[in-house]
Every structure is written in C-alpha cells, then in structure tokens.
Amino acid sequence: MNGQETEAARPLRDKLKQERHNSFSTDYIERLVIAKSGDVAYEFGYSDNRYTDNEQKKHTWRAAYLRAWRKQENQWKVDVTFMRPLDTRLVPIDSTR
C-alpha cells in the first residue's frame, strides 16, 4: 500500500484521535540501515509515548519499534511501522484450544 491508510483502519484512527489528547512521542534511533540500492531502508529504535485521555488521566509508555522506509520521487516515506510496548506482560497462549 506504500504508506496509504486503508479504509478499514480509518474509523479506529479517528476514534483514537478523539480519545487521546496531547499525544506526543519521541523516537530514539538505535540503528538505521540503507540498502545498497539506495531506495529502501529500515530503522530500529525506542519510542517514549504519552497522551491524556478523555478523563484527563495521563498515559505514558516506552516501546520498541521497527520501521521500513521507501524512497519515492526522491523523498523518503514510511512504508510500515511495527511497535510493541516494552512493559507489557505477555499472556501465554492456551495450546489446548
């Protein structure tokens, strides 16, 4: 999709925008690699994130991320970003189901 939002994702994004105010994140790049071809790259790092919800409660978390970039028309554009909060406990999958 080359960085374009799908129609299915738009309602969720709009809902989150209504529920999350003063949203802010700071990225700390650990590794940035550009392919020899010069038109694709990946970036790995950490992100500090925060927002205020509708009840004025403040939320903060740190996440690790992996972001893929693609150069189009001489501009770098984000192709995809994967992010996972670092302080979230994983729940084991019940293998009996």
Side-chain angles (χ1 to χ4, degrees):
M1 288 206 223
N2 296 330
Q4 295 180 4
E5 179 180 37
T6 64
E7 288 297 319
R10 188 165 289 141
L12 176 58
R13 187 216 49 209
D14 292 344
K15 181 177 186 264
L16 289 175
K17 277 187 173 182
Q18 291 174 352
E19 294 174 354
R20 295 180 177 189
H21 310 282
N22 303 318
S23 181
F24 185 80
S25 68
T26 303
D27 293 342
Y28 303 96
I29 300 170
E30 293 286 323
R31 176 182 286 176
L32 176 62
V33 177
I34 300 173
K36 288 181 183 180
S37 63
D39 63 346
V40 293
Y42 76 86
E43 167 189 351
F44 169 78
Y46 299 94
S47 179
D48 288 333
N49 305 275
R50 68 176 186 248
Y51 71 91
T52 305
D53 65 21
N54 287 336
E55 296 161 0
Q56 301 305 308
K57 183 177 177 187
K58 295 181 183 205
H59 301 266
T60 61
W61 74 96
R62 176 168 267 196
Y65 70 87
L66 177 63
R67 184 173 291 140
W69 294 84
R70 184 179 309 272
K71 198 171 192 179
Q72 295 177 333
E73 299 175 6
N74 218 26
Q75 286 190 321
W76 286 101
K77 298 183 179 184
V78 174
D79 218 8
V80 66
T81 301
F82 300 94
M83 185 178 287
R84 180 176 187 281
L86 293 176
D87 59 352
T88 302
R89 291 181 43 204
L90 295 177
V91 177
I93 297 173
D94 184 354
S95 61
T96 61
R97 287 191 220 179

